[in-house]
Amino acid sequence: MRLTTRHKLFDTILVLFLVFSSGGLLFAFHRKLFSIILFLSSIFSLLFMGEKIKKSVFNTSLFSLLFFCIVICINYICSLGDQSYIKYGFHLLNISSCVFILTHFINNRDTTYFLKRLRWVLRLILYFSICNFIFYLVVKNNLSQITYNTDKVLHTFHFIFFYNPERSAFNILGLEFVRNQGWFWEPGINQIYLNILLYLEGLVFKRNKWIILLIVLVIFTTYSTTGIVIMMVTLFFIFRDSIKKNPVLIFLAISIALPLYFVAKLNVEEKLETSSFQKRYFDLIQTISIINDYPLIGIGLDDRYFSEFRSSHFISNNILNSFEESTNFELKAKSTDKGSSNSITYLIVAMGVPISAFLLFCLFKQTLFPNRQKIIMTIIFISVFTEPLLLRPFFLILIVSGMMSFFSRFTK
């Protein structure tokens, strides 16, 4: 079908909501409202922004949605403790949004088109992140404190720029800056989308070296160890072919890589002693301990119940000793009543090994990023291994795409 400006504008807004639904402050402040808006937008896209749904696409979408509904219902029935049915309804709402959005793009658009819309959105995030970082020097004395999700605190300049100076301040040449979180609830999430943009600019579309350089600089402003490591891996693949053609460039690559390596190394060594590392280390060990106790069906998808459950769960001594001996890192944290930062192991804790294994299989078989799949899946896997994002719509839609691709073999 012929795409008009109206189609492109609506699709861009749809992708923007999809990104913000996974770590964005817009959804953190008004999660219920904008989750419903995303759901209604996905239905609108199917009804008014495309053609009649093809039979094969309809069957695959319906089969995938039914599979998710059955799995969610079984998980609710077999879960431990007093689970909130509203939480399960919320998961079904997000799943339905992802299925409808994906059905819209598969039926009416193409993969390259989706990536173009995503690239536009991520460039917008890049430009805003630059402004957010630089303007801190101007607005830092005029910030007001806000609270979201009942217990999380941020500082903002008239809800335009967002910072967390109490946790994220650092100095460059005597000037105080704050780690760049952009429009997201923390810098570690901002770097994920910046690294996805780096992948798109360097490995999917025609390379714009100035944009790539800009992305690299902005990733540094997030001061995220994970982000810098992912960036180094991505840059290696972006410039690998050029280095093969012109070996002289190897010296330029080394001169760039060495500072990046030492910055990442110093950042890693610093974070090994911080509470953030201990939190992630504890999340990994404790969730594996819970998986060991409830391997088949998990404990349920209610994240509040998980937070209560884990506060009284003791880690198996065998598992703890095994981790400490193999990593040489002592686990200092003993308990927590917060959610898990590791969404891979949380998925397994919540749904059990068999279902989680299939969902992770679908994640790695995603079809939205067909170019250099091993590279993009490395970015995605590291990201969801360190942030609670896998069950959020932007990352959930990758699982849905892999599932629809799998079921398309059996539906016509």
Side-chain angles (χ1 to χ4, degrees):
M1 65 176 292
R2 180 176 175 272
L3 298 181
T4 64
T5 302
R6 178 171 59 90
H7 289 103
K8 293 179 180 179
L9 176 62
F10 182 84
D11 290 339
T12 302
I13 295 173
L14 195 61
V15 174
L16 182 69
F17 281 159
L18 192 63
V19 170
F20 283 170
S21 69
S22 305
L25 286 170
L26 183 66
F27 278 71
F29 291 133
H30 310 286
R31 185 180 181 186
K32 294 179 181 178
L33 172 62
F34 280 97
S35 294
I36 293 172
I37 291 174
L38 178 64
F39 174 72
L40 294 176
S41 299
S42 67
I43 295 177
F44 183 86
S45 66
L46 280 178
L47 295 178
F48 302 107
M49 289 290 128
E51 302 173 339
K52 181 180 178 181
I53 303 176
K54 302 178 182 67
K55 183 180 178 181
S56 59
V57 177
F58 176 82
N59 290 340
T60 303
S61 303
L62 180 62
F63 205 82
S64 300
L65 187 57
L66 287 175
F67 176 84
F68 266 116
C69 288
I70 292 170
V71 167
I72 295 294
C73 289
I74 292 175
N75 185 268
Y76 179 73
I77 294 170
C78 300
S79 60
L80 302 180
D82 184 19
Q83 304 272 327
S84 170
Y85 66 90
I86 294 177
K87 292 283 184 179
Y88 283 78
F90 188 77
H91 283 300
L92 284 175
L93 181 72
N94 283 338
I95 290 166
S96 300
S97 298
C98 291
V99 171
F100 295 155
I101 292 171
L102 196 59
T103 301
H104 164 63
F105 279 105
I106 292 175
N107 190 73
N108 305 312
R109 310 291 188 261
D110 56 49
T111 302
T112 303
Y113 174 84
F114 172 80
L115 294 181
K116 286 179 180 178
R117 296 300 92 200
L118 178 61
R119 181 196 191 193
W120 195 96
V121 168
L122 296 183
R123 279 195 172 191
L124 178 64
I125 289 171
L126 170 70
Y127 299 140
F128 176 80
S129 295
I130 295 170
C131 296
N132 193 66
F133 183 72
I134 293 174
F135 273 83
Y136 177 72
L137 294 173
V138 178
V139 304
K140 64 180 181 179
N141 294 322
N142 297 286
L143 300 178
S144 58
Q145 184 173 296
I146 52 174
T147 303
Y148 66 101
N149 286 354
T150 68
D151 62 343
K152 297 182 179 179
V153 176
L154 273 180
H155 292 79
T156 181
F157 178 74
H158 299 295
F159 291 89
I160 300 173
F161 304 119
F162 301 91
Y163 309 96
N164 194 339
E166 295 174 357
R167 292 183 54 193
S168 305
F170 65 98
N171 286 283
I172 298 178
L173 301 176
L175 295 176
E176 182 184 283
F177 290 94
V178 174
R179 293 177 61 195
N180 194 353
Q181 63 187 79
W183 272 315
F184 301 96
W185 72 53
E186 68 174 42
I189 296 177
N190 195 20
Q191 65 79 16
I192 293 172
Y193 293 108
L194 293 172
N195 270 304
I196 292 175
L197 178 61
L198 181 63
Y199 155 83
L200 291 175
E201 294 290 351
L203 297 170
V204 177
F205 299 102
K206 185 177 180 180
R207 297 171 188 172
N208 185 322
K209 295 179 180 177
W210 290 110
I211 286 289
I212 290 175
L213 177 61
L214 200 58
I215 297 169
V216 169
L217 293 175
V218 178
I219 290 175
F220 269 115
T221 68
T222 68
Y223 205 64
S224 167
T225 307
T226 306
I228 294 173
V229 170
I230 293 174
M231 180 185 71
M232 290 172 64
V233 172
T234 308
L235 287 174
F236 169 77
F237 287 102
I238 289 174
F239 295 109
R240 182 178 60 176
D241 294 338
S242 299
I243 290 173
K244 285 182 179 179
K245 293 178 182 178
N246 188 358
V248 176
L249 292 177
I250 191 66
F251 298 106
L252 177 61
I254 292 174
S255 66
I256 296 174
L258 281 178
L260 293 181
Y261 167 77
F262 284 113
V263 168
K265 182 173 182 293
L266 289 172
N267 211 6
V268 168
E269 290 173 348
E270 178 184 324
K271 286 194 174 183
L272 288 179
E273 300 300 326
T274 65
S275 58
S276 106
F277 170 78
Q278 281 293 323
K279 172 69 166 62
R280 285 184 168 86
Y281 192 39
F282 178 78
D283 286 342
L284 175 63
I285 297 176
Q286 190 193 46
T287 49
I288 289 177
S289 179
I290 299 174
I291 292 167
N292 186 59
D293 294 338
Y294 303 93
L296 293 181
I297 58 173
I299 66 171
L301 279 164
D302 186 339
D303 55 350
R304 288 189 179 178
Y305 175 78
F306 168 75
S307 298
E308 295 171 0
F309 177 88
R310 72 181 309 190
S311 64
S312 58
H313 182 274
F314 295 99
I315 299 173
S316 165
N317 287 329
N318 291 335
I319 293 175
L320 177 59
N321 293 336
S322 176
F323 267 94
E324 290 185 336
E325 289 174 4
S326 60
T327 62
N328 289 324
F329 297 136
E330 178 187 357
L331 180 63
K332 298 178 181 178
K334 300 302 179 184
S335 66
T336 182
D337 59 356
K338 298 184 180 299
S340 175
S341 60
N342 189 324
S343 47
I344 295 288
T345 55
Y346 172 74
L347 176 69
I348 304 173
V349 165
M351 306 194 74
V353 174
I355 293 298
S356 298
F358 177 65
L359 295 180
L360 291 174
F361 167 79
C362 293
L363 174 65
F364 282 95
K365 292 297 181 179
Q366 62 81 30
T367 57
L368 284 175
F369 295 90
N371 306 86
R372 305 288 188 96
Q373 285 195 341
K374 291 182 179 179
I375 299 174
I376 185 60
M377 290 317 301
T378 298
I379 296 173
I380 297 297
F381 183 81
I382 294 174
S383 299
V384 297
F385 196 79
T386 56
E387 296 289 348
L389 294 173
L390 185 56
L391 295 179
R392 307 278 179 168
F394 181 81
F395 297 90
L396 185 59
I397 202 171
L398 299 179
I399 296 177
V400 173
S401 71
M403 184 178 294
M404 289 178 63
S405 176
F406 176 80
F407 286 143
S408 66
R409 307 172 190 176
F410 312 106
T411 58
K412 295 183 180 179

